Amino acid sequence: MKFFTKEVQIALVAIIALVVLYFGMNFLKGLSVFSNTNNYCVAFDDVSGLAASSPVYANGYKVGVVESINYDYQHPDKIIAVVGLNKEMRVPVGSRAEISSDLLGNIKINLVLTGNPLQFVAVGDTIPGNVEQSVMTKVAAMVPAIEAMMPKLDSIMTSLNALLADPALQNTLHNVEGMTANFNQTSMQLRNLSASLNHNVPTMMVKADSVLGNTQRLTANLSSIDVTEMAAKVNQTLANVEEMTRKLNSNEGTLGLLMRDATLYNNLSATAADADSLVRDLKAHPKRYVHFSVFGKKGK
């Protein structure tokens, strides 16, 4: 009797198909068929969205997967998730696990490795866990505040529309446009002035050098003057002027006598009066003093 009958062959193919299907499903779930992991327990209060085969990350690197989630009906406040971590992974005592999700809703566990780096959690021990607030959770928490702000935003928009419709604002904008044009013109004038200064500065520097040269020569000439000798001459001149003034104020010398002798003044005044009287008499009676005849002198 032949052993590999059609029925046996069909049965073997079915068994092989089931084995391949089992290993294929586990592979697609991310579960290791040939265990190369250490199992740890993580206690959560809430595991919403977490499922078997969810990845476990440490510092952004995948180190394992969630193998199963067990609900403790005797202690419903704690849900135990069994995670399989790479055998080379060491979890320091004091570390924790957090359930987090991204914007696409993918759930994962992040291991926050803290605590004593010299002491590690034993295989099979429990790691404390918590749920990290996702972006959507934070947004949902902000919804009441946003709803409370909506009436204020509506009032602000109404006030803003009224402000934009105010003709005064349009006039102000036109004035700002004119001011901008003036600023542009002023800026152009400043640029032209700067260009002119840049063109004239070399000539001004040459003139300044010439003035500095003249100043230096004048300073050299002044430094060459004998100040002591000049001061002595000035003092001598002042002494001579003082001596002459003293003599004029005294009775010494001709000038002093002329300035201080009252008799000479009176005589000069009398002489001037007589001369004035003589001139008036000469004008009044010129014939008394001048005798002129063409035919000779006649007797009086």
Side-chain angles (χ1 to χ4, degrees):
M1 181 178 177
K2 189 176 179 180
F3 179 75
F4 290 101
T5 62
K6 291 183 178 180
E7 291 79 4
V8 173
Q9 293 177 359
I10 293 172
L12 291 176
V13 171
I15 293 172
I16 294 173
L18 291 175
V19 171
V20 171
L21 178 63
Y22 172 77
F23 286 114
M25 291 297 295
N26 287 333
F27 177 78
L28 292 176
K29 290 181 179 179
L31 300 176
S32 178
V33 178
F34 303 100
S35 179
N36 190 28
T37 61
N38 292 327
N39 290 338
Y40 295 85
C41 296
V42 183
F44 292 105
D45 296 331
D46 187 359
V47 292
S48 299
L50 188 67
S53 74
S54 295
V56 180
Y57 290 89
N59 299 327
Y61 183 78
K62 184 178 179 181
V63 295
V65 294
V66 176
E67 294 189 354
S68 63
I69 299 175
N70 301 321
Y71 185 78
D72 189 354
Y73 291 94
Q74 303 298 325
H75 302 87
D77 56 336
K78 293 296 181 182
I79 302 174
I80 305 299
V82 179
V83 297
L85 303 181
N86 192 295
K87 288 186 176 181
E88 297 180 359
M89 183 66 191
R90 297 290 183 269
V91 181
V93 175
S95 300
R96 68 181 187 277
E98 294 181 347
I99 297 176
S100 63
S101 61
D102 54 20
L103 294 176
L104 298 178
N106 298 319
I107 306 299
K108 62 182 179 179
I109 293 179
N110 286 325
L111 290 177
V112 181
L113 304 177
T114 59
N116 190 349
L118 300 179
Q119 296 180 358
F120 302 101
V121 178
V123 177
D125 284 352
T126 301
I127 301 173
N130 62 296
V131 179
E132 181 185 13
Q133 287 188 349
S134 62
V135 176
M136 297 304 298
T137 303
K138 295 179 181 179
V139 172
M142 294 173 60
V143 168
I146 295 175
E147 291 178 350
M149 290 175 60
M150 290 303 296
K152 297 181 180 179
L153 290 176
D154 183 62
S155 177
I156 291 172
M157 292 301 298
T158 303
S159 301
L160 184 60
N161 291 331
L163 178 63
L164 293 176
D166 191 353
L169 180 60
Q170 298 179 359
N171 295 332
T172 302
L173 293 177
H174 288 301
N175 294 332
V176 169
E177 183 179 1
M179 293 173 61
T180 303
N182 293 332
F183 281 139
N184 292 334
Q185 184 177 2
T186 303
S187 176
M188 183 178 297
Q189 293 175 354
L190 288 176
R191 286 198 296 269
N192 295 334
L193 178 60
S194 177
S196 177
L197 288 176
N198 292 332
H199 178 71
N200 294 329
V201 161
T203 305
M204 295 172 62
M205 292 300 295
V206 172
K207 293 181 179 179
D209 292 339
S210 177
V211 172
L212 289 176
N214 295 333
T215 304
Q216 291 176 354
R217 285 194 295 272
L218 177 60
T219 304
N221 294 333
L222 290 175
S223 62
S224 63
I225 296 175
D226 190 350
V227 179
T228 304
E229 182 180 356
M230 181 180 291
K233 291 181 179 181
V234 172
N235 291 332
Q236 183 65 34
T237 303
L238 292 176
N240 293 335
V241 173
E242 183 179 1
E243 181 65 20
M244 183 178 66
T245 303
R246 187 185 64 78
K247 290 181 179 182
L248 288 175
N249 291 329
S250 66
N251 294 328
E252 300 177 2
T254 304
L255 290 176
L257 291 174
L258 288 174
M259 293 178 63
R260 302 180 65 84
D261 191 356
T263 303
L264 177 61
Y265 172 76
N266 294 330
N267 292 334
L268 289 174
S269 297
T271 301
D274 293 340
D276 183 64
S277 177
L278 178 61
V279 171
R280 286 197 300 269
D281 186 65
L282 178 61
K283 291 180 178 180
H285 307 285
K287 293 183 179 181
R288 293 181 181 178
Y289 303 95
V290 179
H291 301 280
F292 178 77
S293 178
V294 177
F295 302 101
K297 181 179 180 183
K298 294 184 179 180
K300 292 182 180 180

